[in-house]
């Protein structure tokens, strides 16, 4: 069974640009969550999608947005990029929505985003 | 974003010894806890989980202990191997249905 797949693995952008990251969850998983990982702040929750609906959102500005498609694949978009957005962006999928404990989230290997 | 700490403690362990990684969680109402292992260049990998109605759970070479009285979680790795070298994160599921991660502990296994 294939794991969580994130594309691209690496991305370099400049300030002011926008970026879209993609995540394909494990087959059968309907919940997709996104996280930002930086050396200074660690792993921080961005948002969660389940059945194409955003269920939960972390404390990030509105420049960070996402969506989920009917096949459970998800995209995350960051607009007007800032230097501080440089991070590893991780996607995780699970069978059930967060809070309904039927199993853990499984992570992809992330997209490393560098802002110049 | 929610802050999860700036410093990464390091646990140095001799190959073959047992490792104990500790984690203090923040919300007494959290009801589900997970340990993840993250190797360089990869995403976090699920190790073991435990629900709040349990105080101990065992897996293959790993044991998780939960002490709700002091909001403490630990991961014990038996007979630590070089492949166990990684950063280990604990995570708690809080009533807001968000998974909050600890700052992580780096484990270095000495041959």
């Amino acid at each position: 069974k294939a794991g969580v797949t994130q594309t691209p693995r690496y991305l370099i952008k400049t300030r002011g640009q926008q970026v879209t990251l993609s995540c394909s969850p494990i087959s059968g998983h309907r919940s997709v969550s996104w996280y930002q990982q930086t050396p200074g702040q660690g792993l921080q929750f961005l948002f969660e999608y389940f059945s194409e609906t955003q269920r939960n959102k972390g404390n990030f500005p509105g420049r960070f947005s996402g969506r989920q498609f009917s096949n459970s694949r998800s995209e995350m978009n960051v607009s007007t990029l800032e230097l501080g957005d440089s991070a590893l962006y991780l996607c995780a999928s699970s069978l059930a929505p967060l809070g309904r404990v039927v199993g853990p989230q499984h992570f992809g290997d992330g997209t490393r985003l560098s802002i110049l | 974003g929610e802050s999860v700490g700036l410093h990464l403690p390091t646990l140095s362990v001799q190959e073959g010894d047992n490792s104990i990684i500790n984690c203090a969680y923040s919300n007494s109402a959290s009801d589900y806890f997970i340990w993840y292992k993250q190797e360089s260049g990869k995403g976090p990998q699920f190790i073991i989980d435990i629900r709040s109605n349990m105080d101990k759970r065992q897996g293959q070479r790993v044991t998780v202990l939960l002490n709700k009285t002091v909001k403490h979680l630990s991961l014990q790795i038996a007979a630590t191997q070089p492949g166990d070298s990684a950063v280990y994160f604990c995570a708690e599921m809080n009533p807001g249905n968000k998974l909050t991660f600890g700052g992580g502990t780096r484990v270095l296994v000495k041959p």
Side-chain angles (χ1 to χ4, degrees):
Chain A
K1 198 172 186 181
V4 177
T5 305
Q6 292 187 247
T7 57
R9 286 298 312 277
Y10 302 93
L11 207 48
I12 299 175
K13 291 284 187 179
T14 56
R15 281 181 298 173
Q17 287 187 310
Q18 67 92 27
V19 68
T20 299
L21 311 181
S22 181
C23 172
S24 293
I26 291 172
S27 178
H29 285 195
R30 295 169 61 196
S31 169
V32 173
S33 296
W34 288 89
Y35 296 84
Q36 182 196 66
Q37 186 175 30
T38 59
Q41 296 295 314
L43 267 157
Q44 298 184 89
F45 173 78
L46 280 155
F47 30 65
E48 182 210 1
Y49 285 87
F50 182 81
S51 293
E52 302 178 65
T53 302
Q54 187 181 91
R55 288 187 73 247
N56 221 333
K57 193 174 189 304
N59 298 327
F60 280 82
R63 300 186 297 109
F64 292 80
S65 63
R67 59 178 176 167
Q68 187 180 34
F69 302 95
S70 58
N71 61 358
S72 294
R73 192 177 69 85
S74 177
E75 287 181 346
M76 190 192 103
N77 185 276
V78 188
S79 62
T80 320
L81 287 165
E82 301 176 359
L83 291 177
D85 296 334
S86 293
L88 180 67
Y89 289 88
L90 292 159
C91 168
S93 75
S94 58
L95 280 168
L98 292 180
R100 291 184 56 191
V101 181
V102 294
Q105 289 189 306
H106 295 273
F107 284 81
D109 286 335
T111 294
R112 172 75 61 186
L113 176 62
S114 299
I115 311 302
L116 304 179
Chain B
E2 298 163 9
S3 174
V4 291
L6 300 175
H7 303 289
L8 201 60
T10 299
L11 177 67
S12 191
V13 182
Q14 198 70 40
E15 181 178 356
D17 286 353
N18 296 335
S19 304
I20 300 177
I21 307 164
N22 295 304
C23 175
Y25 63 91
S26 59
N27 193 326
S28 57
S30 293
D31 57 4
Y32 178 56
F33 305 87
I34 313 172
W35 279 100
Y36 286 95
K37 169 188 178 184
Q38 188 173 25
E39 297 173 282
S40 181
K42 295 189 174 182
Q45 175 188 357
F46 169 77
I47 301 173
I48 192 168
D49 56 1
I50 187 168
R51 303 187 186 192
S52 59
N53 61 352
M54 303 171 68
D55 53 21
K56 179 179 180 179
R57 191 165 187 225
Q58 289 184 292
Q60 187 176 18
R61 279 202 309 120
V62 294
T63 301
V64 56
L65 299 178
L66 175 63
N67 185 331
K68 293 181 287 294
T69 304
V70 294
K71 294 190 290 185
H72 183 267
L73 196 64
S74 69
L75 177 70
Q76 300 177 1
I77 304 174
T80 312
Q81 302 169 358
D84 295 328
S85 291
V87 177
Y88 290 80
F89 293 96
C90 65
E92 60 180 297
M93 183 72 72
N94 60 44
N97 296 333
K98 295 178 185 177
L99 204 58
T100 302
F101 284 79
T105 297
R106 186 181 306 280
V107 172
L108 294 175
V109 181
K110 298 179 290 186

